[in-house]
């Protein structure tokens, strides 16, 4: 295993985090808060450790998929461990495990919080929480690839390990250019949302925080009622952008370069929008009597469905009070999730489509046993390896889901709370139902349960295997034995 290259990339990740930590420092200066010193000290620590990691340069810059997964898993753990320090040392979140939970929730774009009152936080802390969403949405390693010199297929192994979805391809021949295009689209959409929010009456701090959290489909709010106290216009803007950030970024690439018809033929996009429309219709007719007019019911239906299917987790109302049919649809949206190649979480739309087509193919095989048919997706035949990978992912997902549910059940909480807490963390949603509903938080769980839920957040964001691979005996043995490059 190329440990020197792993160490070098981890050092670069920490240096990037050091730069990002300067943004809450600037925020603290703008608002005259002493909390900025904690972020500055953490930035210095990140830079120092990153510098030490890179002190010994790697002579061999080639690495493979297993090393890409190790780099990805360790990067997200390190970022979270260092990123939680200002929140903990400043005393804004007194317990280390809670500060770590909040930071992992931020970087993984989950938005599940242990805080009973976010309005008690400093502006620096609120900015840092939203910023972790934004950098976690597209991925810090994707950003690193956008600025690093190209290294052939090796960098593609990082993108495959960090990017959400069953498969990752290059938009252009070079990985660096692909990463740069993705971040350019991401930044432009975030900027557009900020402008529209400013136009609707938000101040600069509110608009930037909201846009960062929406872009990363994270959902950390800066008000205790999330988005409930904002105007209908602002809620519509955020609802639309939550849905937009749940779309595969390849679609935006095609639109950007004038291939609009090809973009609109995207099967995953059509199914994603169809599920949203169907879910909104069911919820709307189920809750219409709970509001004074149909317009409010429609707005809250669109916002909530958009929030949960994109895994953002913002809320305009306490949907835990809605009828059972509406809540069942919401939980279904949590599982399905957004499109592959988006900033959203969940199982991913492409996997759901391929899994359903696999079932249909098996049923047809009973009727026509001699027929030979390949599964088609996006007008192309799906290779057996992709189908196998989808099946393995879904099996692993539910094994991890059931195991997590069993462990946290020892806390003695009700089944709906435990079930939706696991759903909300492994799918990077944020809020669940009952004791983890949109007006509640995760602070009441035991340390063991929080560890399980933190693991779920990391595993869910990184498509399970990069995190699980860190516990594989073969990887552990290979990582600690003498490597070919030291």
């Amino acid at each position: 295993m190329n440990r020197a290259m792993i160490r070098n990339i981890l050092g670069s990740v920490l240096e990037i985090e050091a730069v990002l930590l300067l943004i809450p420092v600037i925020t603290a200066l703008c608002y005259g808060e002493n909390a900025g010193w904690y972020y500055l000290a953490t930035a210095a620590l990140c830079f120092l450790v990153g510098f030490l990691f890179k002190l010994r340069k790697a002579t061999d810059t080639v690495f493979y998929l297993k090393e890409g997964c190790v780099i990805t898993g360790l990067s997200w753990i390190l970022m979270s461990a260092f990123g939680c320090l200002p929140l903990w040392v400043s005393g804004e979140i007194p317990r280390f495990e809670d500060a770590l939970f909040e930071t992992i929730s931020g970087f993984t774009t989950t938005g599940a919080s242990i805080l009973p009152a976010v309005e008690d936080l400093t502006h620096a802390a609120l900015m840092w929480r939203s910023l972790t969403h934004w950098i976690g949405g597209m991925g810090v390693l994707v950003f690193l690839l956008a600025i690093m010199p190209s290294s052939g297929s090796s960098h593609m192994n990082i993108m495959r390990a960090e990017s959400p979805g069953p498969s990752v391809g290059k938009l252009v021949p070079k990985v660096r250019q692909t990463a740069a295009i993705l971040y350019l689209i991401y930044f432009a959409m975030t900027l557009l949302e900020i402008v529209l929010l400013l136009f609707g009456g938000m101040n600069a701090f509110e608009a930037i925080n909201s846009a960062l959290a929406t872009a990363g489909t994270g959902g950390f709010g800066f008000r205790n009622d999330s988005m409930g106290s904002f105007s209908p216009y602002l809620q519509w803007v955020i609802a639309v952008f939550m849905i937009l950030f749940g779309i595969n970024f390849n679609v935006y690439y095609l639109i950007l370069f004038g291939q609009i018809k090809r973009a609109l033929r995207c099967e995953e996009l059509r199914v994603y929008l169809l599920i949203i429309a169907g879910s909104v219709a069911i919820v709307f007719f189920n809750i219409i009597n709970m509001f004074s007019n149909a317009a409010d019911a429609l707005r809250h239906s669109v916002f909530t469905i958009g929030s949960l299917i994109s895994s953002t987790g913002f809320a305009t109302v306490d949907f835990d009070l809605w009828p059972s049919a509406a809540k069942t649809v919401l939980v279904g949206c949590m599982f399905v999730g957004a499109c592959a190649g988006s900033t959203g979480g969940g199982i991913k739309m492409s996997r759901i489509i391929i899994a359903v087509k696999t079932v249909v193919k098996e049923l047809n095989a009973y009727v026509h046993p001699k027929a030979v048919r390949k599964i088609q997706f996006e007008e192309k035949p799906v290779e057996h390896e992709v189908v196998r990978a989808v099946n393995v992912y879904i099996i692993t997902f539910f094994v991890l889901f059931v195991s997590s549910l069993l462990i946290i059940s020892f806390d003695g909480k009700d089944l709906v709370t435990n079930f939706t807490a696991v759903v909300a963390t492994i799918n990077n949603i944020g809020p669940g139902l009952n004791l983890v509903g949109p007006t509640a938080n995760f602070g009441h769980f035991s340390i063991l349960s929080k560890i399980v839920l933190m693991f779920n957040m990391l595993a869910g964001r990184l498509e399970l295997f990069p995190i699980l691979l860190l516990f594989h005996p073969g990887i552990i043995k290979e990582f600690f034995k003498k490597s070919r490059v030291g």
Side-chain angles (χ1 to χ4, degrees):
M1 181 171 286
N2 193 341
R3 292 186 299 179
M5 194 62 190
I6 292 173
R7 190 172 59 246
N8 281 187
I9 293 177
L10 292 179
S12 296
V13 168
L14 287 176
E15 288 177 346
I16 290 173
E17 186 170 20
V19 175
L20 293 171
L21 281 159
L22 297 179
I23 295 176
V25 172
I26 296 170
T27 305
L29 284 173
C30 292
Y31 288 93
E33 297 170 344
N34 292 327
W37 291 108
Y38 299 106
Y39 292 90
L40 186 61
T42 306
L45 179 63
C46 284
F47 187 82
L48 176 61
V49 176
F51 173 78
L52 293 175
F53 275 14
K54 295 173 68 177
L55 208 54
R56 185 178 175 183
K57 299 295 182 185
T59 55
D60 183 1
T61 59
V62 176
F63 54 90
Y64 303 99
L65 183 57
K66 65 178 179 181
E67 289 151 321
C69 289
V70 170
I71 289 168
T72 302
L74 292 179
S75 292
W76 284 69
I77 292 171
L78 270 180
M79 283 193 305
S80 300
F82 281 91
C84 78
L85 293 179
L87 297 172
W88 176 50
V89 177
S90 66
E92 294 200 71
I93 302 180
R95 298 172 65 92
F96 176 78
E97 67 271 16
D98 286 345
L100 183 61
F101 185 100
E102 196 80 6
T103 308
I104 288 176
S105 181
F107 276 120
T108 58
T109 73
T110 304
S113 180
I114 50 82
L115 296 167
V118 295
E119 292 177 12
D120 294 340
L121 294 178
T122 59
H123 290 83
L126 292 171
M127 178 61 74
W128 178 235
R129 289 164 82 243
S130 296
L131 189 61
T132 57
H133 279 338
W134 194 81
I135 196 66
M138 188 62 69
V140 68
L141 291 170
V142 174
F143 177 76
L144 186 62
L145 294 180
I147 61 176
M148 286 174 67
S150 181
S151 183
S153 61
S154 293
H155 286 178
M156 194 62 196
N157 288 325
I158 292 181
M159 184 171 282
R160 283 176 180 154
E162 190 179 46
S163 298
S167 62
V168 176
K170 292 183 284 186
L171 302 179
V172 291
K174 292 187 177 180
V175 176
R176 182 180 180 182
Q177 290 178 359
T178 296
I181 289 170
L182 289 173
Y183 254 100
L184 179 63
I185 296 170
Y186 190 46
F187 181 81
M189 290 176 65
T190 306
L191 190 61
L192 176 60
E193 185 182 356
I194 291 173
V195 172
L196 292 175
L197 293 175
L198 288 170
F199 181 77
M202 277 190 179
N203 62 43
F205 180 81
E206 292 173 338
I208 292 171
N209 272 266
S210 299
L212 292 177
T214 305
T217 60
F220 272 154
F222 46 87
R223 292 187 181 180
N224 292 332
D225 67 350
S226 189
M227 295 293 152
S229 57
F230 287 107
S231 69
Y233 165 81
L234 292 172
Q235 291 176 359
W236 274 114
V237 169
I238 292 171
V240 169
F241 274 92
M242 286 190 296
I243 294 170
L244 290 177
F245 280 108
I247 293 173
N248 193 321
F249 273 61
N250 284 4
V251 171
Y252 299 126
Y253 172 82
L254 293 173
I255 293 172
L256 186 65
F257 287 93
Q259 301 182 52
I260 299 175
K261 288 185 178 179
R262 184 180 168 190
L264 295 178
R265 287 202 308 269
C266 175
E267 183 179 3
E268 187 180 30
L269 173 64
R270 295 198 306 269
V271 174
Y272 174 68
L273 296 178
L274 184 63
I275 289 177
I276 289 175
S279 300
V280 167
I282 295 171
V283 171
F284 172 73
F285 287 111
N286 204 227
I287 68 169
I288 189 169
N289 293 329
M290 299 179 67
F291 296 92
S292 58
N293 58 72
D296 286 345
L298 179 62
R299 171 165 44 86
H300 294 306
S301 299
V302 173
F303 190 100
T304 305
I305 292 296
S307 177
L308 297 185
I309 200 167
S310 69
S311 81
T312 307
F314 279 141
T316 52
V317 291
D318 185 1
F319 52 76
D320 194 28
L321 302 175
W322 288 0
S324 296
K327 289 193 286 187
T328 302
V329 172
L330 298 184
V331 173
C333 288
M334 292 180 186
F335 274 110
V336 172
C339 300
S342 70
T343 61
I347 293 175
K348 299 296 182 301
M349 202 63 61
S350 56
R351 286 196 183 95
I352 298 295
I353 296 170
I354 292 172
V356 170
K357 288 186 175 184
T358 302
V359 173
V360 172
K361 179 186 174 184
E362 289 301 310
L363 290 174
N364 288 334
Y366 281 93
V367 180
H368 306 287
K370 294 184 179 181
V372 178
R373 296 177 181 174
K374 296 208 75 171
I375 296 171
Q376 297 279 327
F377 179 66
E378 303 291 4
E379 301 176 352
K380 296 177 182 177
V382 178
E383 297 299 325
H384 174 73
E385 277 299 304
V386 175
V387 176
R388 183 193 64 83
V390 168
N391 293 338
V392 170
Y393 179 92
I394 292 175
I395 292 169
T396 307
F397 177 93
F398 281 105
V399 168
L400 181 58
F401 179 87
V402 173
S403 302
S404 302
L405 182 59
L406 176 62
I407 294 172
I408 72 167
S409 67
F410 287 103
D411 275 10
K413 294 177 172 56
D414 64 277
L415 179 60
V416 172
T417 295
N418 292 335
F419 186 90
T420 56
V422 177
V423 173
T425 51
I426 198 171
N427 289 312
N428 305 129
I429 307 293
L433 299 174
N434 278 14
L435 298 180
V436 291
T439 61
N441 62 78
F442 287 70
H444 48 75
F445 281 103
S446 66
I447 294 178
L448 176 61
S449 292
K450 286 175 183 173
I451 291 172
V452 170
L453 296 175
M454 284 188 278
F455 179 86
N456 285 346
M457 289 188 279
L458 287 167
R461 172 58 183 84
L462 300 180
E463 303 290 285
L464 305 184
F465 296 107
I467 287 295
L468 292 175
L469 203 63
L470 296 179
F471 299 90
H472 191 285
I475 292 294
I476 295 172
K477 182 178 178 181
E478 192 172 345
F479 187 80
F480 286 103
K481 77 177 182 180
K482 186 175 180 181
S483 70
R484 66 179 186 267
V485 291

